Amino acid sequence: MDIAADVLEVAQGGAIKTRIMYKAFLSFPQLKEYLELLQDGGLLDYVAEEKEYHATERGKRFLKMYKEVGQAILPAGIRKKKTLA
């Protein structure tokens, strides 16, 4: 789920494969697997005209919920340290 969230985060404004791969710290075979998984789940779209991947509305909702759950389970002290860093 962390990797899927990383890929969707990068792809929110549109991103090519290389950018996603480097920002999400993935190898090319891993990238291909996650792109396929996220597209099959309706979370990511490929826009051929732009040659970019974009998070779908469903993908953006997933990312929002993922972040909310992360904030809910982190102790308050850790949250404060993360926002200060």
Side-chain angles (χ1 to χ4, degrees), residues 33-69:
E33 187 176 330
Y34 277 95
L35 292 178
E36 184 178 330
L37 177 75
L38 292 170
Q39 285 180 290
D40 289 348
L43 302 170
L44 191 68
D45 274 337
Y46 180 70
V47 180
E49 300 83 35
E50 299 174 15
K51 298 182 182 174
E52 289 184 336
Y53 289 87
H54 291 265
T56 62
E57 286 304 314
R58 184 175 181 188
K60 291 175 185 176
R61 283 194 311 270
F62 167 85
L63 193 54
K64 182 177 185 253
M65 288 187 293
Y66 173 84
K67 289 178 181 180
E68 287 173 358
V69 168

Side-chain angles (χ1 to χ4, degrees), residues 70-85:
Q71 290 296 314
I73 62 174
L74 282 178
I78 294 174
R79 279 189 297 226
K80 288 180 184 174
K81 288 179 188 176
K82 284 189 168 223
T83 58
L84 295 176

